[in-house]
């Protein structure tokens, strides 16, 4: 006697069933943009079409793509009047600690005998410098080594796929020279270099860039004796790099992989006083089951049959690189490790 008729029961079910969001038909898109990100850059990453049913999965992917811009703390949405005439409102909130980002760190390394290095590091990053989303990054290192590096990363369209990136670097550092296990000399390197890259962002996983570099390098055997050429010469050439990153965490990855392939060609026609090639590659893959993670790391490099100057030779040895050897104890024109 407590039952409903079939028609009444169907009406009851209809009133208690949530209307799926994808049935909403978007007629208008609005932006509540509380950030420096230009609205035109947001529209480039939002694929929602009006007068058609909303595809919720696709909208979620678009919001993740907008969040990937890196300067937003919140990316969300609201639907006004869900149904036939629905307004989609995209909510954007800038990071409370941006757009100026400051990082500080230190490096301390010792072989517990006669070799200790210490460096203080600073990084200052300024995001959303203009409507196209330019980013200016400055790195400083002082201590045993001295380094100043600055790069201006400038997208050239609102989709932020194509970019140009001028950069400058000054390095003042030492390399230890070994005869067997004995350190016999310190090799001082002063390298000043400017580079202009152009490149392409490859969806969410990678980057391809290429450009010209010019500079000046000075090397000296500072103490001890070693059979190394001392240089005072100009640099000039071409650099290209492909890099991708699909790991699930930048510090302690459990799944995915990443890699980098870089080629540097030093050419006299571009102002260099030496001609040589330098190819380097890195690849890593991670896999987990239960609480266990295994990974394979491969590294390789080659001078492609040319003679590398001493300051460009590949170095091995030290922590995470054949730890039984001293830092940079092994050096050469070709190497491969797994």
């Amino acid at each position: 006697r407590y039952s409903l008729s079939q028609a009444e029961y169907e009406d009851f079910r209809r009133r208690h069933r949530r209307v799926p969001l994808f049935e909403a038909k978007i007629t208008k898109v609005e932006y509540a943009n509380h950030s420096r990100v230009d609205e035109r850059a947001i529209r480039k990453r939002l694929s929602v079409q009006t007068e058609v049913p909303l595809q919720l999965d696709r909208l979620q992917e678009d919001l993740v793509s907008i969040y990937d811009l890196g300067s937003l703390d919140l990316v969300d949405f609201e639907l006004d009047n869900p149904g036939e005439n629905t307004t989609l409102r995209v909510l954007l909130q800038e990071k409370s600690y941006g757009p100026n980002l400051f990082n500080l760190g230190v490096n301390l390394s010792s072989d517990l005998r006669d070799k200790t290095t210490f460096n203080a590091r600073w990084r200052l990053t300024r995001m959303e410098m203009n409507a196209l989303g330019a980013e200016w990054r400055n790195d400083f290192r002082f201590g045993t080594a001295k380094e100043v590096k600055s790069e201006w990363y400038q997208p050239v369209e609102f989709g932020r796929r194509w970019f140009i990136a001028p950069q400058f670097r000054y390095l003042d550092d030492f390399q230890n020279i070994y005869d067997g296990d004995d350190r016999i000399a310190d090799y001082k390197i002063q390298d000043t270099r400017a580079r202009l890259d152009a490149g392409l962002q490859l969806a969410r996983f990678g980057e391809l860039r290429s450009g010209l570099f010019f500079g000046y390098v000075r090397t000296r055997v500072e103490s001890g004796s070693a059979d190394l050429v001392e240089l005072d010469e100009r640099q000039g050439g071409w650099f290209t790099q492909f890099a991708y990153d699909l790991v699930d965490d930048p510090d302690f990855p459990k799944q995915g992989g990443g890699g980098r392939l870089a080629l540097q060609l030093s050419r006299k026609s571009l102002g260099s006083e030496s001609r040589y090639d330098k190819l380097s590659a890195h690849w890593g893959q991670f896999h987990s089951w239960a609480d266990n993670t295994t990974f394979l790391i491969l590294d390789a490099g080659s001078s492609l049959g040319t003679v590398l100057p001493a300051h460009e030779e590949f170095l091995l040895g030290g922590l995470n690189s054949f730890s039984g050897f001293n830092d940079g104890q092994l050096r050469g024109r070709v190497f491969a490790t797994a």
Side-chain angles (χ1 to χ4, degrees):
R1 67 182 183 273
Y2 298 113
S3 64
L4 300 175
S5 67
Q6 185 67 29
E8 290 175 314
Y9 183 61
E10 287 300 325
D11 182 63
F12 169 84
R13 292 187 62 192
R14 189 163 43 250
R15 287 186 287 108
H16 287 78
R17 187 184 305 128
R18 172 178 290 179
V19 178
L21 286 174
F22 59 77
E23 292 184 0
K25 184 178 291 185
I26 303 300
T27 57
K28 184 180 180 182
V29 179
E30 296 179 349
Y31 299 91
N33 186 5
H34 303 289
S35 74
R36 292 173 175 80
V37 180
D38 194 278
E39 189 175 300
R40 288 168 288 186
I42 303 300
R43 290 202 298 265
K44 282 286 188 179
R45 295 180 178 231
L46 194 67
S47 60
V48 173
Q49 298 179 1
T50 58
E51 305 304 331
V52 297
L54 174 64
Q55 299 180 34
L56 185 58
D57 291 344
R58 188 168 182 178
L59 174 60
Q60 290 173 332
E61 292 177 359
D62 291 346
L63 297 183
V64 171
S65 178
I66 294 171
Y67 185 79
D68 284 344
L69 291 171
S71 59
L72 298 169
D73 216 11
L74 173 69
V75 180
D76 205 347
F77 74 97
E78 294 177 345
L79 294 178
D80 286 347
N81 189 32
E84 288 297 315
N85 297 296
T86 303
T87 297
L88 170 66
R89 183 175 298 108
V90 180
L91 311 175
L92 306 170
Q93 183 66 51
E94 191 172 58
K95 288 180 177 178
S96 58
Y97 51 86
N100 297 311
L101 307 177
F102 182 70
N103 301 82
L104 174 66
V106 295
N107 294 118
L108 175 63
S109 173
S110 176
D111 62 7
L112 304 181
R113 293 190 298 272
D114 61 347
K115 178 61 176 178
T116 299
T117 62
F118 175 84
N119 290 289
R121 293 172 175 264
W122 294 269
R123 168 172 287 178
L124 179 62
T125 306
R126 170 80 177 185
M127 305 180 72
E128 301 299 329
M129 294 285 288
N130 53 36
L132 290 170
E135 179 178 317
W136 188 21
R137 175 171 293 179
N138 299 277
D139 291 309
F140 306 92
R141 177 165 53 128
F142 297 102
T144 306
K146 301 176 182 64
E147 183 178 21
V148 177
K149 183 178 179 181
S150 181
E151 180 184 74
W152 181 280
Y153 180 89
Q154 178 65 66
V156 295
E157 39 85 32
F158 286 104
R160 301 193 182 185
R161 295 190 63 209
W162 296 93
F163 65 89
I164 58 173
Q167 64 173 253
F168 168 82
R169 187 193 74 166
Y170 170 75
L171 174 67
D172 187 341
D173 199 3
F174 285 92
Q175 290 181 359
N176 296 322
I177 309 300
Y178 290 89
D179 181 7
D181 291 331
D182 299 323
R183 182 160 61 96
I184 61 173
D186 289 327
Y187 195 53
K188 183 177 178 64
I189 301 169
Q190 293 176 309
D191 190 346
T192 304
R193 182 174 301 192
R195 201 173 85 204
L196 177 61
D197 291 344
L200 172 66
Q201 286 284 348
L202 303 172
R204 297 181 63 203
F205 70 87
E207 176 192 271
L208 177 65
R209 64 164 64 198
S210 184
L212 298 173
F213 67 89
F214 304 94
Y216 187 82
V217 62
R218 184 175 186 269
T219 63
R220 292 287 183 272
V221 177
E222 193 74 5
S223 63
S225 60
D227 187 20
L228 293 177
V229 176
E230 297 185 338
L231 300 176
D232 257 307
E233 64 179 33
R234 297 186 306 275
Q235 299 183 92
W238 175 65
F239 173 86
T240 188
Q241 176 177 274
F242 165 71
Y244 79 99
D245 184 353
L246 291 173
V247 297
D248 60 350
D249 186 277
D251 299 311
F252 298 100
K254 294 184 177 181
Q255 297 287 350
R260 173 183 50 81
L261 181 66
L263 176 64
Q264 176 179 310
L265 303 177
S266 182
R267 292 293 182 267
K268 294 183 178 180
S269 59
L270 294 173
S272 176
E273 297 183 47
S274 301
R275 184 189 186 281
Y276 61 88
D277 304 334
K278 188 175 183 180
L279 176 68
S280 61
H282 167 83
W283 176 79
Q285 186 68 36
F286 298 82
H287 179 71
S288 297
W289 75 99
D291 293 330
N292 308 294
T293 301
T294 62
F295 54 92
L296 174 64
I297 307 293
L298 303 177
D299 285 285
S302 173
S303 65
L304 303 178
T306 62
V307 178
L308 291 177
H311 69 282
E312 291 281 8
E313 288 183 321
F314 300 106
L315 303 179
L316 290 177
L319 188 64
N320 299 322
S321 173
F322 291 102
S323 301
F325 291 99
N326 292 300
D327 190 24
Q329 182 174 342
L330 305 180
R331 57 192 305 131
R333 302 176 189 172
V334 179
F335 87 99
T337 65

